[in-house]
Amino acid sequence: MSTLLLLTSALQSSAEVLPSLALLGHQVKILPAEGSALLEAPEADLVLVDGRQDLAGARGLCRLIRTTGTDVPVILIVTEGGLAVVVHDWGMDDVILHTAGPAELEARIKLGIGRLAAAREAADPDAHVIRSGEVLVDDATYTAKIGGRPLDLTFKEFELLKFLAQHPGRVFSRQQLLQEVWGYDYFGGTRTVDVHVRRLRAKLGPENETLIGTVRNVGYRFVLPIKEKESKADAARMADTDSTQDA
């Protein structure tokens, strides 16, 4: 699940601007399609700009977003008539018809976010390595270790561990995990998630199986080791102390 920012001046819900968006599980935040809104815009994985009714305004907004220095992908939403006049120098990364289906929209979102991740990885050779406690996941070589011990994981077990380790402490429902790990077009039941979690815990070993925590009636989360939680809390307290002294 990604966090998307929708910039639109329409007095409508996101489902009216881009109907297929309502069928996906992403978190959508809506702000007016105005330059001033960018000053208070929350962090997002991708920006959607509504150009259905005001194409000229949308073009200016896309260009303005690029002047802020952000590298977050921008997708311009247009009608079929607008599609005929869009050109490459408008500042967006991609363009999509407002009538596009959920599969196409999901693919474009993943491609946009994926291209950004690839660019950041090229700039930082260690960007593909996820470390959480004693768990190390290398997205480039598709290998995982815990305490230096290699884990013999299937592809889906690896993807599940990687996704949970990327979001330590955050709880995901079984349905969300199905969408993120197995994909939008997977038609299996949520029982699949339970089976893979059980197998993953077995491979982590008795001393580490609690890293994949169960939240009753909700889903699963990656549990940070106590030492790591304490070190992060200490760092936060030190930062608060420093800021108080500076004041």
Side-chain angles (χ1 to χ4, degrees):
M1 180 176 65
S2 301
T3 300
L4 311 180
L5 178 62
L6 173 61
L7 302 178
T8 177
S9 295
L11 300 177
Q12 301 169 316
S13 67
S14 60
E16 295 296 328
V17 177
L18 194 57
S20 58
L21 191 57
L23 302 177
L24 304 178
H26 301 294
Q27 181 180 9
V28 182
K29 300 178 181 179
I30 303 176
L31 287 179
E34 303 171 356
S36 58
L38 298 176
L39 299 175
E40 300 179 355
E43 290 188 4
D45 300 308
L46 183 139
V47 177
L48 295 160
V49 178
D50 182 8
R52 298 170 305 145
Q53 299 175 356
D54 183 6
L55 197 56
R59 175 189 61 191
L61 188 57
C62 288
R63 288 174 171 172
L64 181 60
I65 291 172
R66 285 298 169 236
T67 65
T68 65
T70 181
D71 56 357
V72 173
V74 177
I75 297 180
L76 177 62
I77 305 167
V78 298
T79 61
E80 193 161 351
L83 189 62
V85 299
V86 173
V87 292
H88 72 280
D89 65 349
W90 284 22
M92 72 286 176
D93 298 279
D94 202 352
V95 61
I96 192 168
L97 287 172
H98 69 106
T99 55
E104 179 184 352
L105 177 58
E106 180 71 6
R108 291 180 184 272
I109 290 172
K110 286 187 174 180
L111 286 172
I113 295 175
R115 281 193 293 265
L116 175 59
R120 288 176 174 174
E121 181 178 318
D124 180 4
D126 291 329
H128 57 83
V129 177
I130 303 164
R131 291 183 176 87
S132 196
E134 292 190 331
V135 174
L136 185 148
V137 179
D138 191 328
D139 197 22
T141 60
Y142 280 86
T143 57
K145 297 180 181 179
I146 183 162
R149 171 174 65 88
L151 296 172
D152 183 17
L153 305 178
T154 66
F155 177 73
K156 287 303 180 185
E157 289 167 355
F158 174 85
E159 289 292 310
L160 179 60
L161 177 62
K162 180 185 75 171
F163 182 76
L164 291 172
Q166 282 177 315
H167 308 88
R170 183 171 171 180
V171 181
F172 293 93
S173 70
R174 291 168 175 81
Q175 191 61 48
Q176 287 174 323
L177 290 172
L178 273 179
Q179 180 174 323
E180 293 295 337
V181 178
W182 278 262
Y184 175 79
D185 57 350
Y186 180 76
F187 294 104
T190 54
R191 179 65 179 165
T192 298
V193 177
D194 296 329
V195 172
H196 279 74
V197 167
R198 185 169 66 250
R199 291 174 179 170
L200 184 55
R201 282 172 172 163
K203 292 181 179 181
L204 288 172
E207 68 280 10
N208 296 301
E209 62 180 9
T210 55
L211 288 174
I212 310 298
T214 300
V215 180
R216 189 177 297 275
N217 298 325
V218 181
Y220 298 100
R221 65 176 177 175
F222 189 89
V223 180
L224 279 174
I226 294 176
K227 290 183 179 180
E228 186 168 339
K229 287 183 179 178
E230 292 176 346
S231 64
K232 287 191 174 184
D234 290 342
R237 283 194 292 269
M238 290 178 64
D240 289 341
T241 301
D242 291 341
S243 61
T244 302
Q245 291 176 347
D246 292 341

